[in-house]
Amino acid sequence: MTVEELVKEPASWLDGSGPMSSVVLSSRVRLARNLKAYSFTNRSQDSELAKILDQFSRVVKESTFLRKGMLVHIGKLKKLERDFLVERHLISPDLAKGDKNQGLYVGDREAVSVMINEEDHIRLQAMRSGLQLREAWQIVDRIDDELSKHMDYAFSDQYGYLTACPTNVGTGLRASVLIHLPALVLTKDINEILQGIGQVGLAVRGFYGEGTEVLGNLFQMSNRTTLGRSEEDIVDDIEQATRKIIDYEENARKTLLTDARPQIEDKIWRAFGILKTARVLSSQELMSLISAVRLGVGLKMIQSISIASLNHLIMLLQPAHLQKWFNKKMDAGERDIRRAELVREKLTTLSGYAEDDGQPRQGGSLR
Amino acid sequence: MTVEELVKEPASWLDGSGPMSSVVLSSRVRLARNLKAYSFTNRSQDSELAKILDQFSRVVKESTFLRKGMLVHIGKLKKLERDFLVERHLISPDLAKGDKNQGLYVGDREAVSVMINEEDHIRLQAMRSGLQLREAWQIVDRIDDELSKHMDYAFSDQYGYLTACPTNVGTGLRASVLIHLPALVLTKDINEILQGIGQVGLAVRGFYGEGTEVLGNLFQMSNRTTLGRSEEDIVDDIEQATRKIIDYEENARKTLLTDARPQIEDKIWRAFGILKTARVLSSQELMSLISAVRLGVGLKMIQSISIASLNHLIMLLQPAHLQKWFNKKMDAGERDIRRAELVREKLTTLSGYAEDDGQPRQGGSLR
């Protein structure tokens, strides 16, 4: 497997097959771990980081679960490839800046990945389609068990797993869902909901994680504390909170249809029309149009495109992805043109006809 | 012929067959005439107006040119029918308010029409597709010759034809073109052009004539004075000025394509996409979308729809037209929904497939 191959193959967690996929894009559980023998990354020499990376690479070869993946040395990647991996939710923006011995492990179809020498020595994550936090937890738990046999973790009987940042001490676990809340945004109930989420100890972040912007009404919701509760309880909390928010979102969708059906249909169909015809599309507008179409698919207004295809488009049409797809460095202006071109091509293939000439085409799937 | 029948049959002057139709919608020449035996309409008793209307109706029956049309008594029309006739450019907003003996004559496919007892006793107009001012002038001239044999016009050897408003004294002629200038609006050159037009003694008006708003980048350009020059000279002036403006517009289109092709394509195709998918469309937005699509057809980007169809849509989707089409009184909210419905239906028929399901449809023309 290579970084290049990721471009053409959508990640498994985007395939829309999981429960509640019309509202929840994906579930993610990650564990932060550190090796007892080394300082935390912010204090360690690059030679230490090299040893950690080396040790991890040996563990991977012996692992039942990780054997099939690839290990990438971040320092060897170009800027565009790093940006690509951030867009792919495989590495953090921080790791993308890495100029030391930092690494990324990517498992089969990106269901599992590990950042090595980011804030912590090991950041192990599992991603699943839809609302599958428990399943994601079980996966990382199993891999963590195996890794712990080969690596000596920094662990305190009093505090649990020790991490570079105190907010991760304890379980080292962060569970999050990427959730699509277009109706709550339209009814303007979203702020109240977000406040409520904050009050029960959960955090809401943007599309690319902490400190990033919300795009296309996609919210990342995760636990804030990792200490004093079992992993299962933390995961259950997020799962419960997510189910409540799904209920709110679904009620908001019903309300919108009852109170303003023509306006909602208008918003959704126009978005679809614009996606099929635009010649210039910014990332931000694209996300907002796909958000509307995704709502339309959720409401069963639009039948000719699947949630999976929309998820894949969200991924594929990001700036670095686009450049990898067309295999060409492009400035924002050129990207906006190519983005519109690619989305037209994809939607034409999917819905079986082109906008320009009214000629039916061969159908096809996005993959 | 009845007012009802006009709803289904587009006016001949919208058929896009005339010269320069991609820029000029239509050419119009009208003559103002008054009968010597009666006061001007603003001073005359309703009994006098009744006599004028009666005399005109008798003349129509004997006329070679007007025999085939219909004569409508404005006072007998409902509000909606009056609005419909204003939208159709057959009567002025002023005449629509008429509660006295006012009339409208409409000839075959609306090529010729006469307002009776508007500001002047007789307002005779001919409308032609594209830039055909001379042809329109020849038509009204011929009819005017015939009418003058049956009616004694108020005429002064010194001033020419006498009219209620001094601006019409002389020839009583107003020649105008309805001209589509989207590129000059986009390049922002339009204000300079309009100033120039003003300086050579021409007036620019909105879509429904004097004191109305410009919609969809459609400008009505006409002569301001009617005195001291021959009819042919006045018509030639407007024709010359129009040709110059067409040149400016065509140059602006070329500039736009050279300097900002993707943005122009984007604007045009999005407009087409929105027209095909919107569920709510105001009059104003519709006009602006059709303006962009019309530009796209002019630039040969869009091939699947004709100028004629777009002209017909502009007419058909106006508020009173919509209500006549659906045979139902509707408030603005309902109209916006029905407008979107009708435009989708028309564009689906025209371009051979629907947006919703990707199924090809029978082709068809708008008429």
Side-chain angles (χ1 to χ4, degrees):
Chain A
M1 198 173 17
T2 63
V3 171
E4 300 307 316
E5 281 167 31
L6 297 179
V7 181
K8 304 283 164 179
E9 181 82 348
S12 56
W13 55 273
L14 284 170
D15 72 2
S17 65
M20 310 289 180
S21 277
S22 79
V23 180
V24 181
L25 264 86
S26 59
S27 301
R28 166 180 172 268
V29 173
R30 71 104 168 110
L31 292 175
R33 297 289 183 258
N34 288 277
L35 305 192
K36 199 188 268 177
Y38 303 98
S39 321
F40 290 136
T41 60
N42 58 339
R43 291 170 156 259
S44 51
Q45 305 288 328
D46 198 30
S47 57
E48 282 183 287
L49 299 180
K51 282 178 198 161
I52 296 167
L53 187 54
D54 185 55
Q55 185 179 348
F56 182 80
S57 76
R58 273 179 286 119
V59 171
V60 161
K61 280 174 201 144
E62 290 165 33
S63 158
T64 327
F65 302 113
L66 306 183
R67 222 166 9 189
K68 278 188 175 172
M70 70 168 162
L71 190 61
V72 182
H73 197 298
I74 296 294
K76 291 181 181 157
L77 298 180
K78 289 179 190 144
K79 171 87 170 63
L80 182 60
E81 288 168 320
R82 295 168 188 226
D83 292 346
F84 170 80
L85 294 173
V86 171
E87 288 178 359
R88 211 124 180 125
H89 289 70
L90 286 171
I91 66 174
S92 62
D94 269 351
L95 191 65
K97 293 179 203 139
D99 54 359
K100 295 184 186 161
N101 272 290
Q102 284 121 338
L104 164 70
Y105 165 85
V106 185
D108 187 38
R109 296 210 53 218
E110 301 162 62
V112 170
S113 59
V114 186
M115 291 192 285
I116 303 109
N117 295 328
E118 203 244 18
E119 186 179 288
D120 295 297
H121 296 152
I122 305 287
R123 286 269 178 114
L124 164 65
Q125 77 172 12
M127 301 275 278
R128 303 276 297 179
S129 162
L131 184 56
Q132 296 197 67
L133 281 170
R134 284 172 202 167
E135 292 77 0
W137 157 242
Q138 284 158 11
I139 293 169
V140 291
D141 188 32
R142 230 177 298 151
I143 299 174
D144 182 50
D145 279 351
E146 194 191 43
L147 291 181
S148 70
K149 286 174 197 151
H150 302 279
M151 298 194 285
D152 203 4
Y153 286 157
F155 183 84
S156 137
D157 285 339
Q158 195 184 346
Y159 300 114
Y161 292 100
L162 301 178
T163 55
C165 176
T167 56
N168 289 312
V169 168
T171 57
L173 181 146
R174 178 141 294 139
S176 68
V177 289
L178 190 57
I179 187 166
H180 184 225
L181 305 174
L184 288 172
V185 171
L186 281 172
T187 60
K188 300 199 166 69
D189 289 329
I190 190 70
N191 291 329
E192 209 178 318
I193 302 279
L194 295 185
Q195 269 180 8
I197 292 174
Q199 279 161 5
V200 298
L202 302 182
V204 179
R205 304 195 156 96
F207 186 60
Y208 297 114
E210 203 168 342
T212 65
E213 193 186 0
V214 171
L215 287 171
N217 303 315
L218 290 170
F219 297 83
Q220 235 186 81
M221 205 175 70
S222 60
N223 59 310
R224 213 146 36 181
T225 52
T226 57
L227 191 66
R229 312 198 59 204
S230 75
E231 287 86 346
E232 284 79 5
D233 283 354
I234 294 170
V235 168
D236 272 359
D237 279 358
I238 304 273
E239 169 118 8
Q240 294 309 322
T242 305
R243 286 189 189 278
K244 257 189 207 156
I245 291 167
I246 294 172
D247 277 352
Y248 288 132
E249 170 67 18
E250 283 178 344
N251 284 330
R253 292 182 182 191
K254 276 178 207 147
T255 306
L256 285 174
L257 284 188
T258 311
D259 296 355
R261 179 180 273 273
Q263 286 68 28
I264 293 306
E265 289 182 341
D266 187 55
K267 189 178 172 60
I268 289 169
W269 283 107
R270 275 175 191 241
F272 204 28
I274 292 171
L275 282 176
K276 282 184 185 173
T277 49
R279 262 57 181 170
V280 182
L281 268 178
S282 71
S283 272
Q284 203 152 3
E285 187 188 7
L286 175 99
M287 290 291 273
S288 122
L289 295 171
I290 289 199
S291 171
V293 173
R294 208 178 188 283
L295 174 62
V297 175
L299 295 172
K300 300 200 177 4
M301 271 179 207
I302 296 181
Q303 315 260 356
S304 60
I305 191 166
S306 67
I307 286 288
S309 302
L310 292 172
N311 291 353
H312 296 164
L313 282 177
I314 289 173
M315 187 58 72
L316 181 60
L317 298 167
Q318 298 174 101
H321 270 74
L322 264 187
Q323 296 177 73
K324 292 301 274 179
W325 180 273
F326 286 106
N327 199 17
K328 190 178 175 223
K329 273 210 161 190
M330 298 186 273
D331 63 18
E334 193 179 349
R335 287 201 303 270
D336 290 355
I337 293 171
R338 292 297 201 148
R339 183 177 292 114
E341 183 185 319
L342 187 54
V343 78
R344 283 201 315 281
E345 183 196 312
K346 291 294 179 190
L347 290 180
T348 301
T349 320
L350 287 166
S351 54
Y353 60 86
E355 201 53 34
D356 318 43
D357 53 10
Q359 291 309 305
R361 296 279 158 90
Q362 279 302 97
S365 84
L366 198 71
R367 279 198 48 194
Chain B
M1 198 173 20
T2 64
V3 172
E4 302 305 319
E5 282 167 30
L6 297 179
V7 182
K8 307 283 165 182
E9 182 83 349
S12 56
W13 55 273
L14 284 169
D15 72 4
S17 66
M20 309 290 179
S21 276
S22 79
V23 180
V24 181
L25 265 86
S26 58
S27 300
R28 167 180 171 267
V29 172
R30 71 107 169 108
L31 293 175
R33 296 289 184 259
N34 288 277
L35 305 193
K36 196 187 270 177
Y38 303 98
S39 323
F40 290 136
T41 60
N42 58 340
R43 292 172 155 260
S44 52
Q45 304 287 327
D46 197 31
S47 57
E48 284 184 285
L49 299 181
K51 281 180 199 158
I52 296 165
L53 187 54
D54 186 55
Q55 184 178 348
F56 183 80
S57 76
R58 273 181 284 118
V59 171
V60 161
K61 279 176 202 139
E62 290 164 32
S63 160
T64 327
F65 302 113
L66 306 183
R67 222 168 7 190
K68 278 188 174 173
M70 72 168 162
L71 190 61
V72 182
H73 197 297
I74 296 293
K76 290 181 181 158
L77 298 180
K78 290 180 190 142
K79 170 89 170 63
L80 181 61
E81 286 166 321
R82 295 169 186 225
D83 292 344
F84 170 81
L85 294 172
V86 172
E87 288 178 358
R88 213 128 178 120
H89 290 70
L90 286 170
I91 66 175
S92 62
D94 270 352
L95 191 66
K97 293 180 200 136
D99 54 358
K100 296 184 182 160
N101 273 291
Q102 283 120 340
L104 165 70
Y105 166 85
V106 185
D108 187 37
R109 297 212 51 218
E110 302 162 59
V112 170
S113 59
V114 187
M115 292 193 285
I116 304 109
N117 294 328
E118 204 244 18
E119 188 179 287
D120 295 297
H121 297 152
I122 304 287
R123 286 270 178 111
L124 165 65
Q125 76 173 12
M127 300 275 277
R128 302 278 296 180
S129 162
L131 183 57
Q132 296 198 67
L133 281 169
R134 286 171 201 168
E135 292 76 1
W137 157 243
Q138 283 158 10
I139 294 169
V140 292
D141 188 34
R142 229 177 299 150
I143 299 174
D144 183 50
D145 279 352
E146 191 190 47
L147 291 180
S148 70
K149 288 175 195 150
H150 303 279
M151 299 194 286
D152 204 3
Y153 286 157
F155 184 85
S156 139
D157 284 338
Q158 193 183 348
Y159 299 115
Y161 293 101
L162 300 178
T163 54
C165 175
T167 58
N168 290 311
V169 167
T171 57
L173 181 145
R174 177 142 293 139
S176 67
V177 290
L178 190 57
I179 187 165
H180 184 224
L181 305 175
L184 288 171
V185 171
L186 281 172
T187 60
K188 301 200 165 70
D189 289 330
I190 190 70
N191 291 328
E192 208 179 318
I193 301 281
L194 295 184
Q195 269 180 8
I197 293 174
Q199 280 161 7
V200 298
L202 302 183
V204 178
R205 305 197 156 95
F207 186 61
Y208 297 115
E210 202 167 344
T212 65
E213 191 186 1
V214 170
L215 287 172
N217 304 315
L218 290 170
F219 297 81
Q220 236 186 84
M221 207 175 68
S222 59
N223 59 312
R224 215 150 34 184
T225 52
T226 57
L227 192 64
R229 312 198 58 205
S230 75
E231 287 85 347
E232 284 79 4
D233 283 353
I234 294 171
V235 167
D236 273 358
D237 280 357
I238 304 274
E239 170 118 6
Q240 294 310 322
T242 305
R243 286 188 189 279
K244 257 189 208 156
I245 290 168
I246 294 172
D247 278 351
Y248 289 133
E249 170 67 17
E250 282 177 347
N251 284 330
R253 292 182 183 191
K254 275 177 210 148
T255 306
L256 285 174
L257 283 188
T258 311
D259 296 355
R261 179 180 274 272
Q263 287 67 31
I264 293 306
E265 290 183 340
D266 188 56
K267 190 179 171 61
I268 289 169
W269 283 106
R270 275 175 191 240
F272 204 28
I274 293 172
L275 282 176
K276 283 186 184 172
T277 49
R279 263 56 184 172
V280 182
L281 268 179
S282 70
S283 272
Q284 202 152 4
E285 188 188 5
L286 175 98
M287 290 292 273
S288 125
L289 294 171
I290 288 197
S291 169
V293 172
R294 207 176 187 286
L295 174 61
V297 174
L299 294 173
K300 300 201 177 4
M301 270 180 209
I302 296 181
Q303 315 260 358
S304 58
I305 191 164
S306 66
I307 286 288
S309 302
L310 291 173
N311 291 352
H312 295 164
L313 281 178
I314 289 172
M315 189 56 74
L316 181 60
L317 297 167
Q318 297 174 101
H321 270 73
L322 263 188
Q323 296 176 74
K324 294 300 275 179
W325 180 273
F326 285 107
N327 199 17
K328 189 177 174 224
K329 273 211 161 187
M330 296 186 275
D331 62 19
E334 194 178 348
R335 286 201 302 270
D336 290 354
I337 293 171
R338 294 297 203 150
R339 181 177 294 114
E341 185 184 317
L342 187 54
V343 78
R344 283 202 314 282
E345 184 195 311
K346 291 293 180 194
L347 290 180
T348 301
T349 320
L350 286 167
S351 54
Y353 59 85
E355 202 50 35
D356 317 46
D357 53 10
Q359 290 308 304
R361 297 276 158 91
Q362 280 302 96
S365 85
L366 198 73
R367 279 196 49 195

